Amino acid sequence: MYTDHGPKLYLKVVVNKQKTKVLFAEANSDFIDVLLSFLTLPLGKLVTKLPTAVGSLNTLCSGLSNLYNSHFCVGGAKQMLVSPKSSFEDECRRLKLDITDSQPTRYFLCQDRNCPRSGSTNISLYSDIAICSCGKPLNREIRVAAGNVSDGDGVFTINPLSFLVTDDLRTAPIVTGFLQTLNNLGITDTEGAELRILSFGMLEIKELLKLSIFSATPLTDLVIKKTQMSSTAVKPEPGILLHHIEKDAANSRPRKMVLKVCLQKSTNKFLFAEATNEFVDFLFSFVTVPLGGVEFLLGGNTGLKNIDNLYKSVTDSIDNKYFRTPEMKNRLINPKLAHGYISSNHFLPLTQDTPPKLYYESQWNVSRKLNEVTYFHHHEKGGSLVYSFKSSECLGYYYVKKQTICFVTDDLTVTPSLATSISILNGKGIPLSDLKEIELQIGLEEALSILKASLTSKTPLSDVLIKPMLNKLPKLEHQPKQER
């Protein structure tokens, strides 16, 4: 095991008598809360936590980072996407071990200290995103009095409470009838098993996150042995079925995105796509979605089996009464994006969180400079409610400018340079005469399939858009011609 300084979590692990496999572990609420925090990680932040690439997400994030600020609609938008926030940051900061690195919420007023319109009606959660009523950017940070940190009652689940966790991260509370719980988790034989009590620090939790993505047996690999990491995710099918979101989203979203795709004529191989800002915004929205949100969109079937199991434990195995608040379970099942992250161009059926509640202190000395006084509070005492955050954080804007044309490779690398695409052709020795261009329409089902494929595949656009089309060609070619 690793060693590091700082807080520790303790885990009771039951190992089989051959000492080759973890049968199950017993964990308290502190450990389960940390485990559940995996579901709150936006995909853009997840890739920064892992040493191994996750599908095509790393190349997507790399392309995003390489775009200039001038490609984005508002200043600060690129930084928002490069380092996406979570709607659970207040909760995660209270975890005993916070792998999400959640930071305190920041607040910004007009850059002009003497602006007569600066105040409770002109607040932003992000620097250089929203505009003050006077027309200047909101980028001057102010101090806000901190609210209550923790009352010791747990973060996501109630404390104290004990849980069983299987090797593949299926989780259930230990309640009356625990034998049934063991059976439900597939634990049928513990004869000769050995009990170990282990301490977990931040290094172990980071390793567990990595193993939850890349190992079929994350607890075993963490506790007993270290194996060479390789993705255990299932290769995505060409399409997915829209289940729980079909009626609410698919039927209400008839719009299609148009994508021009360049293929090699002789092989029908995908080379690159020419994308407008609509498709680029769609791809960049991936980085803002937490793992739990991806699970919701894909019906608990992302192909990341351990994360699927953890998510399904929330939906099926942990009753609402074991969560800290009545609404916490629903928040984890269908997490919202952090406030300000949904653009007016959004394609996926996502929603965003409301801004935090602030209270304006009614008795503050107006003669003092605003940057020298804490005049907003997280609590109601001493002031009136402020809910006038600028609604245009990213709302009302696109991520990238409307006139932007980008080229997207099969691994979701986004570049605005045509020269880069030409260099791809030259590198492969493909002459311009061997190119053909087709136009595809992408609806919600195709969009969700691309999201799913991005988690596990280096060629998600081919997998979702091209291969299914080519598989249909032989059938079409062999159909008898109709008589005229």
Side-chain angles (χ1 to χ4, degrees), residues 470-480:
L470 296 179
N471 289 337
K472 296 177 182 178
L473 288 180
K475 298 178 182 179
L476 295 175
E477 292 173 356
H478 289 90
Q479 287 180 355

Side-chain angles (χ1 to χ4, degrees), residues 73-74 80 126 129-131 338-346 350-355 389-399:
C73 282
V74 292
M80 282 181 65
Y126 311 97
I129 290 293
I131 302 298
H339 178 74
Y341 273 88
I342 289 187
S343 76
S344 60
N345 207 23
H346 75 283
L350 302 167
T351 56
Q352 70 175 350
D353 203 10
T354 57
F389 287 80
K390 298 299 287 189
S391 61
S392 59
E393 306 278 19
C394 267
L395 287 170
Y397 296 106
Y398 305 123
Y399 292 153

Side-chain angles (χ1 to χ4, degrees), residues 173-210:
I174 300 175
V175 294
T176 303
F178 74 93
L179 290 178
Q180 185 60 47
T181 302
L182 290 173
N183 290 330
N184 291 341
L185 294 178
I187 303 167
T188 58
D189 183 16
T190 60
E191 184 178 356
E194 174 185 302
L195 173 64
R196 299 182 185 181
I197 300 178
L198 306 173
S199 65
F200 280 48
M202 183 59 77
L203 290 177
E204 288 87 357
I205 294 300
K206 289 180 178 179
E207 183 72 5
L208 181 58
L209 173 64
K210 181 184 76 172

Side-chain angles (χ1 to χ4, degrees), residues 1-3 198-201 204 221-224 226:
M1 298 297 289
Y2 306 94
T3 59
L198 306 173
S199 65
F200 280 48
E204 288 87 357
D221 289 342
L222 182 63
V223 173
I224 298 178
K226 302 294 180 290

Side-chain angles (χ1 to χ4, degrees), residues 85-363:
K85 294 171 66 69
S86 164
S87 60
F88 288 92
E89 289 196 340
D90 286 343
E91 286 82 7
C92 288
R93 284 199 304 275
R94 292 165 34 215
L95 292 167
K96 197 165 183 179
L97 292 172
D98 178 18
I99 195 174
T100 71
D101 298 327
S102 297
Q103 300 298 315
T105 304
R106 302 169 69 189
Y107 303 88
F108 299 89
L109 292 183
C110 180
Q111 69 176 17
D112 184 357
R113 299 176 189 272
N114 299 315
C115 174
R117 300 180 182 180
S118 183
S120 61
T121 58
N122 283 288
I123 307 174
S124 175
L125 296 175
Y126 311 97
S127 178
D128 287 321
I129 290 293
I131 302 298
C132 178
S133 300
C134 74
K136 297 178 181 178
L138 300 178
N139 57 17
R140 180 167 54 89
E141 187 171 3
I142 57 170
R143 294 180 296 163
V144 175
N148 294 328
V149 177
S150 176
D151 54 14
D153 287 339
V155 177
F156 301 119
T157 59
I158 59 175
N159 190 6
L161 193 65
S162 294
F163 293 80
L164 289 182
V165 183
T166 64
D167 199 7
D168 56 3
L169 302 191
R170 287 172 293 154
T171 304
I174 300 175
V175 294
T176 303
F178 74 93
L179 290 178
Q180 185 60 47
T181 302
L182 290 173
N183 290 330
N184 291 341
L185 294 178
I187 303 167
T188 58
D189 183 16
T190 60
E191 184 178 356
E194 174 185 302
L195 173 64
R196 299 182 185 181
I197 300 178
L198 306 173
S199 65
F200 280 48
M202 183 59 77
L203 290 177
E204 288 87 357
I205 294 300
K206 289 180 178 179
E207 183 72 5
L208 181 58
L209 173 64
K210 181 184 76 172
L211 293 167
S212 71
I213 301 295
F214 298 113
S215 171
T217 55
L219 285 183
T220 292
D221 289 342
L222 182 63
V223 173
I224 298 178
K225 57 185 178 180
K226 302 294 180 290
T227 62
Q228 185 176 356
M229 295 298 96
S230 61
S231 176
T232 60
V234 176
K235 193 76 170 178
E237 296 296 326
I240 64 173
L241 296 176
L242 302 176
H243 297 296
H244 56 297
I245 65 171
E246 181 174 10
K247 293 181 180 179
D248 295 334
N251 295 337
S252 63
R253 291 172 179 262
R255 102 176 203 237
K256 303 273 188 179
M257 292 182 288
V258 176
L259 188 66
K260 292 182 179 179
V261 174
C262 186
L263 302 178
Q264 185 175 7
K265 189 185 301 183
S266 58
T267 63
N268 282 321
K269 185 177 181 179
F270 180 97
L271 297 174
F272 58 84
E274 181 183 324
T276 64
N277 75 307
E278 183 179 33
F279 189 78
V280 175
D281 272 13
F282 157 69
L283 291 181
F284 286 170
S285 72
F286 291 5
V287 305
T288 71
V289 185
L291 269 175
V294 178
E295 290 283 354
F296 177 79
L297 291 172
L298 301 178
N301 184 26
T302 66
L304 304 175
K305 291 305 182 182
N306 299 311
I307 302 299
D308 289 348
N309 289 337
L310 182 60
Y311 180 80
K312 290 174 183 176
S313 296
V314 176
T315 60
D316 302 334
S317 302
I318 307 177
D319 193 87
N320 191 64
K321 64 184 178 182
Y322 300 117
F323 288 93
R324 187 175 187 273
T325 62
E327 66 275 7
M328 184 59 73
K329 177 171 181 172
N330 288 333
R331 286 186 62 199
L332 288 168
I333 290 174
N334 183 15
K336 296 181 179 180
L337 304 189
H339 178 74
Y341 273 88
I342 289 187
S343 76
S344 60
N345 207 23
H346 75 283
F347 195 84
L348 296 174
L350 302 167
T351 56
Q352 70 175 350
D353 203 10
T354 57
K357 290 184 179 181
L358 287 181
Y359 294 87
Y360 187 67
E361 186 178 343
S362 56
Q363 309 205 353

